[in-house]
Amino acid sequence: LGVGHLVAVFLDPTSSPFFVLGATVVDHTPKWLKDNAIRWFGTNDKLALAITMGVVMVAAAALIGQVARRRLGPAIGLLGALGLVVAVLALQRPTATPFFAVPAVVGALAGIAALCVLFLVPTETTAHAGPTRRGFLIALTAVAAGAAAAGAAGRFLGTRLRDIAADRAGFVLPRVAAPAPPVTAEMDKGVAGLTRFVTPNPDFYRIDTALQLPQLTRAQWRLRIHGMVEREIRLDFDELSSRRAVESVITLTCVSNEVGGDLVGTARWTGYRLGELIAEAGPSADADMVLSRSIDGFTAGTPLAAVRDTPDALLAVAMNGEALPVAHGYPARLIVPGLYGYVSATKWVIDLEITRFDRARAYWTDRGWAPRAPIKTASRIDVPAAFATLPAGPVTVAGVAWAQGRGVEAVEIQVDDGPWQPTTLAAAYSLDTWRQWTWTWDASPGSHALRVRAVDGAGDVQTDARATPFPDGATGRHSRVVTVR
């Protein structure tokens, strides 16, 4: 693995055997397991996968070692077979070239060589075949040091050869013709424990399929717009930067967000109107989908009408006044308000194909998720915390609600089975952002259940019917139980 990772640095980091295996696991994870992984680990789901893979690989290595103690030939065969399997999997990655098989093959040969050193090469004269205990420990130390050095060199060289941090540091924020309106104190009430209106970049949720973050510099980035168009358009980052930039404040939501979940956030996005870019290509009147593709092969299908009819649909290059973080799509990503992220928010985007929903399928729709995914009305209680113990008397209850594209008209709160009561809404920023709400509760002693519901701009009340995120977003009303003394 260490040698394979080092070799991959000089070809393509995503061809590393470890990341090939991880990406294959991600692509073939059953829906129920994917949903549970996000529920259990949240944005640490990839760390959990990496740890699990490490444990499995250590166990596999121990098994091969046990086989080699009895017969070396079958153990070498197992290592060779594993290398062949990983090489085949590498060649099936969306961005694979024939060279993607090289790290797995070289890595397998390195593993076989290490096994032979440990079991065949004595380091001092003995009366029996094979190394002595002392010789074995010396050989083992040398092999372990070599593996660690190869892995560390791979990480070091990967950083130096693709210095994204330096590339981001050299990014100059585009000058926008009309900055987005400011977020005022009437929109962000500053209540302790209440979610801030604008989510800081380090706190913004991250859910994607990339086990290893793509390392793409501005000089390497290219965007191709093609398909059912009159003319194909190709842009590099300099050409993109020469265009008129705009700024929008938009709330994004992940379709995997459970009722009351935190896979939602708001940011100030800077970029270029996506509808204008696509219009230059002259899309066919029959086209109804924009199939966007990431550098790592991920695809998303966005309704073309949502891009055309929404001025705030962006090819974004900046987030909250700085270059996009690598984890959020540097150097460019899509932002299409009103739709769940799996159909609208492709990160590290390099390709836009104008096509039709009946001709093309995207990554998640190929796995059973709905092809069109408008965000559903939702609300959440942030304060007080779940199972909190509170003093009797006035208690502040607060949270956020969202219904992108329609706006939030009202939020209501219920205590136990009592009547629904209106809350005080913070000022609205736009139809595409969430809205804070507060309510003062005269709490009486005992155990109480607090429930919240929102009413969207069309007058529709948030449903109480409970549904899981699959296939087009969770529904239901958030509640919290508290104790008053």
Side-chain angles (χ1 to χ4, degrees), residues 6 32 38 43 45 92 105 138 144 159 164 168 215 229 270 301 305 307-308 328 341-342 354 381 396 449 454:
L6 176 59
W32 65 267
I38 293 177
T43 54
D45 56 343
Q92 294 176 351
V105 172
I138 292 173
T159 301
I164 302 301
R168 285 188 73 247
Q215 305 292 296
V229 296
T270 305
V307 175
R308 280 175 162 168
H328 292 290
Y342 80 99
I354 311 305
I381 300 171
T396 297

Side-chain angles (χ1 to χ4, degrees), residues 199 205 251-254 257 261-266 380 402 404 434:
T199 310
Y205 77 91
T251 299
L252 299 188
T253 308
C254 180
N257 200 40
D262 60 359
L263 301 181
V264 56
T266 299
R380 187 179 74 202
W402 57 90
Q404 289 94 311
W434 56 13

Side-chain angles (χ1 to χ4, degrees), residues 224-242:
R224 179 188 180 208
I225 304 175
H226 63 107
M228 297 173 64
V229 296
E230 294 176 0
R231 65 195 69 84
E232 182 174 309
I233 292 178
R234 293 176 182 264
L235 291 172
D236 62 25
F237 204 88
D238 287 339
E239 291 169 330
L240 180 67
S241 301
S242 67

Side-chain angles (χ1 to χ4, degrees), residues 109-406:
L109 292 174
I112 290 170
L115 196 65
C116 291
V117 166
L118 291 174
F119 279 91
L120 293 181
V121 181
T123 55
E124 59 184 52
T125 303
T126 63
H128 58 83
T132 63
R133 181 181 298 274
R134 178 173 177 273
F136 174 79
L137 290 176
I138 292 173
L140 179 62
T141 300
V143 168
R155 291 182 63 86
F156 176 78
L157 290 174
T159 301
R160 287 304 181 94
L161 291 177
R162 296 172 176 83
D163 194 352
I164 302 301
D167 196 67
R168 285 188 73 247
F171 175 85
V172 177
L173 194 69
R175 185 174 299 175
V176 297
V183 176
T184 66
E186 287 73 30
M187 302 168 187
D188 192 351
K189 291 299 188 180
V191 175
L194 174 61
T195 300
R196 296 297 306 274
F197 185 86
V198 174
T199 310
N201 291 358
D203 299 332
F204 208 96
Y205 77 91
R206 178 201 164 198
I207 298 293
D208 53 52
T209 62
L211 188 62
Q212 182 188 38
L213 292 175
Q215 305 292 296
L216 187 64
T217 65
R218 283 172 289 141
Q220 296 169 328
W221 183 84
R222 298 289 187 277
L223 178 68
R224 179 188 180 208
I225 304 175
H226 63 107
M228 297 173 64
V229 296
E230 294 176 0
R231 65 195 69 84
E232 182 174 309
I233 292 178
R234 293 176 182 264
L235 291 172
D236 62 25
F237 204 88
D238 287 339
E239 291 169 330
L240 180 67
S241 301
S242 67
R243 295 168 175 264
R244 184 175 66 93
V246 296
E247 188 177 68
S248 297
V249 177
I250 298 170
T251 299
L252 299 188
T253 308
C254 180
V255 72
S256 296
N257 200 40
E258 298 281 355
V259 173
D262 60 359
L263 301 181
V264 56
T266 299
R268 185 180 297 272
W269 307 95
T270 305
Y272 306 88
R273 295 198 190 282
L274 188 57
E276 292 179 1
L277 291 171
I278 291 175
E280 290 181 20
S284 166
D286 293 333
D288 64 1
M289 177 212 264
V290 180
L291 184 68
S292 55
R293 179 171 282 101
S294 166
I295 187 66
D296 66 353
F298 173 84
T299 54
T302 308
L304 179 57
V307 175
R308 280 175 162 168
D309 301 341
T310 309
D312 287 339
L314 301 179
L315 178 63
V317 297
M319 179 180 182
N320 289 332
E322 64 178 59
L324 288 170
V326 177
H328 292 290
Y330 183 83
R333 66 170 294 168
L334 298 190
I335 300 291
V336 182
L339 303 172
Y340 287 116
Y342 80 99
V343 301
S344 68
T346 303
K347 296 186 275 193
W348 316 289
V349 65
I350 59 167
D351 189 277
L352 301 176
E353 180 184 356
I354 311 305
T355 181
R356 291 183 53 84
F357 279 98
D358 57 8
R359 297 182 187 177
R361 294 172 65 86
Y363 183 93
W364 285 116
T365 52
D366 230 5
R367 290 158 174 78
W369 293 78
R372 304 167 191 261
I375 296 173
K376 298 176 179 179
T377 302
S379 53
R380 187 179 74 202
I381 300 171
D382 289 344
V383 180
F387 307 110
T389 299
L390 309 170
V395 171
T396 297
V397 183
V400 289
W402 57 90
Q404 289 94 311
R406 304 176 302 282

